[in-house]
């Protein structure tokens, strides 16, 4: 599609929308729209994909009846507002597929406004002392804006001789790390706004306050299923993947969620049930942030295309786990926000655009190593058939086939990188990371809108934020479209398979995920991942409309729906959408810190920490 065609897209879709209102049926043909990092994604073969025209709900509704300031077009004024305001919760959705009161484009603008707010500078408090926080945690700086945090030396310019912390932090970076929310063997404590970061893990691992940083990269897998790497030389994996540049992760929560957990925490008698705010007694909003960071080279740091910061990571030497510090670059960001009218959280995710293709259009060679070597499906997938995913771009639908059950190899549909590699027993790979055609036309339009606003604003001439894009968002649960030509296209299935290329990378495991999975059992020397694609993953959620509970949801929301508390004898319970909160963490278990040079045995054990039934 040409630039001219893209510019005409909103008017063209509006005409289709008006025709759909008159006749309730129409046909259209368009191309798959991809953007940013997704533009360099997999070119799906004819044997694996099928695209059909369909009637799409408009991305810009002429009959918009519900005021939603957060969904208005984003302008230069939004980018430079001082401070950037956190957009108010969207109004309730009307579930009308032909005339939605809130469009996917409006939700996408809401997502960008959240990104602008949370990635603005945190408020300084004037403290400059070793081990003491120089910022008011969780609070935006009233005197600086989103443009200020886009400087390539933003973090570095806030460092000084007296403190190990920089005074230049993004708002979300100052949230409570998961090991502060649930320190091993202790309760969360104090007023988060004034606390200096303190990290306490299992096995008596405690980071000295003089060594701490706000970014604490203590996770080395994608929810225990795989590890992901950039090759250090060209785009071919090293003989031993552990020699390449790994992506590490961390999870944080905002002060509202921190205070709520602190209020209900009782290790001797954990709560019989819980509901994260907003709830009956606390109308604040819970926010969780999952971030992905790549090990940086001097050339990547100098490129000015990444938000960079000093971060902790962990390394085992002579049997002892040590906290180390290095400069990392932000490559992926999930923002989860629980709000009135949206009880399952609203999921938004952003990527740095260079993960699959370099600025000069070369393949990066991004790949993963699975911590299993067999894949099986539940009874919802007939034997000897390939399951499929229906991808809704908002303009058409595409059918994508997933790999066959059985060994994780090229014969079963995996993009295994040829060569000789050191892969532990029970693992598989290296597998080239690929992206199916999941982009939506609405998100593409809004990303262009934001890029145009940045291009017209001098303060963003050299901003790192020019190299980040919204991938997509999920607002409410729904079942997957039954085919590529449903009678009534459901706008909510846009981004049904929401995934971030550097946070959810393996296609059958978590990239084209729906339902649930049963992780391999290393104690039984069993290395088979069971994808339960027919499992209802949204259970017992209050305030959802009829027929939206007990759905087989996909993507981020579907995955997080499997985080349930409390669980009954059958292993099920109401979805709370947070993998940080469970019987173990609520009774003082805390978390372990993943090390950079994790042994294969330790990595295998990690698999049981997540989606197990």
């Amino acid at each position: 599609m040409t630039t001219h065609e893209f510019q005409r897209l909103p008017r063209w879709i509006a005409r289709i929308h008006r025709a759909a209102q008159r006749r309730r049926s129409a046909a259209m043909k368009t191309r798959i729209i991809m953007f940013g990092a997704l533009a360099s994604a997999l070119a799906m073969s004819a044997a694996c994909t099928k695209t059909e025209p369909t009637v799409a709900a408009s991305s810009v509704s002429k009959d918009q009846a519900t005021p939603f300031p957060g969904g208005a077009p984003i302008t230069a004024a939004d980018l430079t507002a001082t401070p950037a305001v956190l957009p108010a919760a969207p109004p309730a959705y009307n579930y009308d597929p032909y005339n939605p009161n809130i469009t996917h484009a409006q939700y996408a603008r809401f997502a960008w406004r959240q990104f602008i707010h949370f990635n603005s500078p945190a408020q300084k408090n004037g403290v400059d002392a070793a081990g003491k926080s120089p910022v008011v945690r969780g609070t935006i700086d009233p005197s600086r804006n989103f443009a200020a945090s886009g400087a390539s030396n933003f973090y570095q310019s806030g460092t000084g001789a007296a403190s190990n912390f920089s005074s230049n932090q993004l708002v979300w970076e100052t949230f409570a790390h998961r090991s502060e929310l649930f320190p091993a063997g202790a309760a969360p404590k104090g007023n988060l706004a004034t606390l200096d970061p303190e990290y306490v893990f299992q096995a008596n691992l405690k980071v000295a306050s003089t060594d701490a940083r706000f970014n604490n990269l203590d996770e080395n897998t994608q929810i225990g299923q795989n590890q992901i790497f950039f090759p250090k030389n060209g785009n071919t994996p090293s003989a031993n993947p552990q020699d390449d540049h790994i992506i590490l992760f961390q999870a944080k929560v905002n002060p509202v969620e921190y205070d709520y957990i602190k209020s209900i925490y009782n290790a001797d008698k954990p709560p019989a049930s819980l509901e994260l705010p907003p709830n009956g007694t606390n109308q604040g909003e819970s926010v969780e942030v999952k971030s992905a960071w790549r090990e940086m080279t001097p050339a990547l740091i100098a490129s000015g295309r990444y938000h960079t910061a000093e971060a902790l990571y962990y390394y085992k030497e002579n049997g002892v786990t040590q906290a180390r510090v290095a400069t990392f670059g932000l490559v992926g960001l999930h923002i989860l926000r629980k709000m009135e009218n949206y009880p399952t959280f609203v999921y938004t995710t952003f990527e740095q655009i260079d993960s699959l293709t370099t600025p000069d259009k070369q393949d990066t060679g991004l790949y993963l190593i699975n911590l299993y070597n067999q894949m099986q499906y539940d009874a919802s997938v007939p034997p000897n058939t390939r399951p499929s995913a229906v991808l809704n771009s908002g303009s058409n639908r595409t059918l994508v086939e997933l790999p066959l059950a059985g060994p994780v190899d090229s014969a079963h549909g995996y993009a295994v990188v040829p060569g000789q590699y050191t892969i532990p027993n029970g693992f598989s790979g290296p597998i080239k990371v690929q992206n199916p055609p999941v982009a939506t036309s609405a998100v593409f339009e809004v990303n262009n809108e934001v890029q145009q606003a940045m291009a017209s604003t001098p303060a963003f001439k050299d901003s790192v934020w020019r190299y980040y894009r919204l991938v997509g968002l999920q607002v409410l649960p729904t079942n997957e479209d039954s085919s590529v030509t449903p009678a009534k296209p459901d706008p909510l299935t846009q981004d049904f398979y929401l995934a971030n290329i550097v946070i959810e990378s393996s296609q059958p495991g978590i990239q084209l995920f729906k339902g649930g999975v049963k992780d391999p059992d290393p104690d039984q020397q069993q290395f088979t991942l069971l994808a339960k694609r027919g499992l209802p993953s949204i259970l017992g959620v209050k305030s959802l409309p009829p027929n939206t509970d007990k759905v087989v949801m996909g993507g981020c929301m579907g995955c997080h729906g499997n985080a349930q508390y409390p669980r009954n004898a059958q292993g099920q319970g109401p979805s709370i959408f947070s993998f940080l909160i469970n019987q173990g963490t609520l009774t003082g278990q805390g978390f372990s810190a993943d090390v950079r040079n994790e042994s294969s045995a330790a990595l295998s054990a990690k698999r049981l920490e997540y989606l197990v039934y």
Side-chain angles (χ1 to χ4, degrees), residues 355-538:
S355 290
L356 290 177
T357 308
T358 65
D360 59 355
K361 309 304 180 186
Q362 299 300 306
D363 179 13
T364 64
L366 185 68
Y367 71 94
L368 57 87
I369 300 294
N370 284 323
L371 310 189
Y372 53 87
N373 62 12
Q374 294 272 335
M375 166 68 73
Q376 296 295 332
Y377 299 104
D378 64 5
S380 67
V381 180
N384 301 316
T385 64
R386 297 178 70 167
S388 59
V390 179
L391 308 181
N392 176 8
S393 75
S395 301
N396 60 13
R397 283 168 171 71
T398 302
L399 191 70
V400 176
E401 290 185 326
L402 276 69
L404 278 167
V408 179
D409 57 25
S410 56
H412 288 75
Y414 296 87
V416 178
V417 181
Q420 297 296 317
Y421 302 100
T422 303
I423 307 298
N425 179 48
F427 293 9
S428 59
I431 296 172
K432 182 177 173 59
V433 174
Q434 300 175 317
N435 231 355
V438 293
T440 67
S441 55
V443 168
F444 180 91
E445 294 167 19
V446 172
N447 278 329
N448 273 353
E449 181 179 284
V450 174
Q451 289 304 306
Q452 290 169 10
M454 287 187 182
S456 68
T457 308
F460 286 86
K461 180 178 181 295
D462 298 315
S463 176
V464 301
W465 302 129
R466 295 164 52 207
Y467 306 107
Y468 290 80
R469 302 287 188 272
L470 174 65
V471 179
L473 65 151
Q474 293 177 315
V475 294
L476 290 162
T478 185
N479 285 305
E480 184 180 10
D481 287 329
S482 59
S483 74
V484 293
T485 54
K488 291 184 178 181
D490 183 357
L492 288 179
T493 61
Q494 295 179 76
D495 286 323
F496 180 87
Y497 285 107
L498 181 63
N500 190 302
I501 198 65
V502 293
I503 301 176
E504 297 96 4
S505 303
S506 63
Q507 272 199 13
I510 43 180
Q511 187 183 79
L512 291 176
F513 171 96
K514 74 172 183 178
V517 302
K518 183 180 186 301
D519 284 340
D521 187 346
D523 292 338
Q524 302 299 319
Q525 292 297 296
Q526 185 261 86
F527 301 106
T528 300
L529 187 76
L530 174 61
K532 307 182 83 169
R533 296 183 69 80
L535 180 74
S537 53
I538 309 293

Side-chain angles (χ1 to χ4, degrees), residues 66-215:
T66 306
F68 180 24
I74 292 178
T75 66
D78 293 301
L79 299 175
T80 56
T82 308
V85 176
L86 181 65
Y93 184 69
N94 68 357
Y95 288 89
D96 182 349
Y98 288 113
N99 189 26
N101 64 320
I102 303 175
T103 66
H104 206 60
Q106 290 171 314
Y107 282 124
R109 294 181 180 116
F110 168 82
W112 259 110
R113 285 185 166 90
Q114 283 192 156
F115 185 88
I116 292 168
H117 173 85
F118 288 124
N119 285 287
S120 294
Q123 183 176 355
K124 297 182 180 183
N125 64 9
V127 172
D128 185 18
K132 295 300 180 182
S133 170
V135 297
V136 182
R137 299 181 66 177
T139 302
I140 194 169
D141 191 325
S143 64
R144 295 185 292 170
N145 59 25
F146 179 56
S149 65
S152 60
N153 68 339
F154 172 69
Y155 176 91
Q156 291 77 9
S157 64
T159 58
S163 175
N164 49 302
F165 295 108
S166 170
S167 61
N168 283 339
Q169 306 284 163
L170 306 178
V171 172
W172 68 264
E173 288 178 311
T174 69
F175 287 177
H177 186 268
R178 66 172 186 165
S179 65
E180 294 181 282
L181 181 69
F182 291 114
K189 65 179 184 181
N191 176 14
L192 182 65
T194 61
L195 293 178
D196 56 306
E198 184 176 358
Y199 307 124
V200 181
F201 294 98
Q202 295 174 10
N204 298 315
L205 175 60
K206 182 177 180 179
V207 178
S209 61
T210 52
D211 293 334
R213 302 294 190 277
F214 276 108
N215 288 301

Side-chain angles (χ1 to χ4, degrees), residues 2-317:
T2 66
T3 301
H4 180 60
E5 286 171 321
F6 276 136
Q7 291 171 343
R8 295 179 57 199
L9 190 56
R11 186 182 305 167
W12 176 67
I13 293 179
R15 289 202 300 269
I16 293 296
H17 173 62
R18 289 194 292 272
Q21 287 181 305
R22 292 193 300 268
R23 298 187 299 271
R24 299 302 191 201
S25 177
M28 58 182 280
K29 204 167 193 177
T30 191
R31 302 175 183 176
I32 297 295
I33 299 172
M34 292 188 249
F35 61 89
L38 301 182
S40 57
L42 171 64
M44 305 300 293
S45 70
C48 294
T49 65
K50 179 182 179 183
T51 301
E52 295 287 349
T54 185
V55 177
S58 169
S59 64
V60 182
S61 173
K62 281 191 66 178
D63 302 317
Q64 178 66 256
T66 306
F68 180 24
I74 292 178
T75 66
D78 293 301
L79 299 175
T80 56
T82 308
V85 176
L86 181 65
Y93 184 69
N94 68 357
Y95 288 89
D96 182 349
Y98 288 113
N99 189 26
N101 64 320
I102 303 175
T103 66
H104 206 60
Q106 290 171 314
Y107 282 124
R109 294 181 180 116
F110 168 82
W112 259 110
R113 285 185 166 90
Q114 283 192 156
F115 185 88
I116 292 168
H117 173 85
F118 288 124
N119 285 287
S120 294
Q123 183 176 355
K124 297 182 180 183
N125 64 9
V127 172
D128 185 18
K132 295 300 180 182
S133 170
V135 297
V136 182
R137 299 181 66 177
T139 302
I140 194 169
D141 191 325
S143 64
R144 295 185 292 170
N145 59 25
F146 179 56
S149 65
S152 60
N153 68 339
F154 172 69
Y155 176 91
Q156 291 77 9
S157 64
T159 58
S163 175
N164 49 302
F165 295 108
S166 170
S167 61
N168 283 339
Q169 306 284 163
L170 306 178
V171 172
W172 68 264
E173 288 178 311
T174 69
F175 287 177
H177 186 268
R178 66 172 186 165
S179 65
E180 294 181 282
L181 181 69
F182 291 114
K189 65 179 184 181
N191 176 14
L192 182 65
T194 61
L195 293 178
D196 56 306
E198 184 176 358
Y199 307 124
V200 181
F201 294 98
Q202 295 174 10
N204 298 315
L205 175 60
K206 182 177 180 179
V207 178
S209 61
T210 52
D211 293 334
R213 302 294 190 277
F214 276 108
N215 288 301
N216 183 10
L217 311 184
D218 65 322
E219 298 178 68
N220 65 10
T221 69
Q222 295 182 340
I223 63 169
Q225 287 193 21
N226 58 65
Q227 291 188 303
I228 183 169
F229 302 88
F230 287 95
K232 67 177 180 181
N233 295 314
N235 54 22
T236 302
S238 297
N240 182 353
Q242 295 299 328
D243 292 335
D244 284 332
H245 298 299
I246 197 170
I247 292 178
L248 299 176
F249 310 91
Q250 66 177 342
K252 290 175 171 279
V253 306
N254 74 333
V256 170
E257 185 167 335
Y258 181 87
D259 288 343
Y260 172 75
I261 293 299
K262 188 174 63 173
S263 72
I264 66 169
Y265 185 88
N266 184 336
D268 296 326
K269 189 177 180 181
S273 65
L274 61 85
E275 183 182 8
L276 292 172
N279 55 34
T281 59
N282 186 340
Q283 293 308 298
E285 294 179 345
S286 299
V287 177
E288 295 189 357
V289 177
K290 178 73 174 281
S291 56
W293 301 75
R294 69 178 292 182
E295 294 178 321
M296 298 293 279
T297 64
L300 289 173
I301 294 172
S303 72
R305 297 172 69 90
Y306 294 85
H307 168 70
T308 61
E310 286 186 348
L312 290 175
Y313 71 103
Y314 298 87
Y315 203 87
K316 185 167 286 189
E317 191 169 354

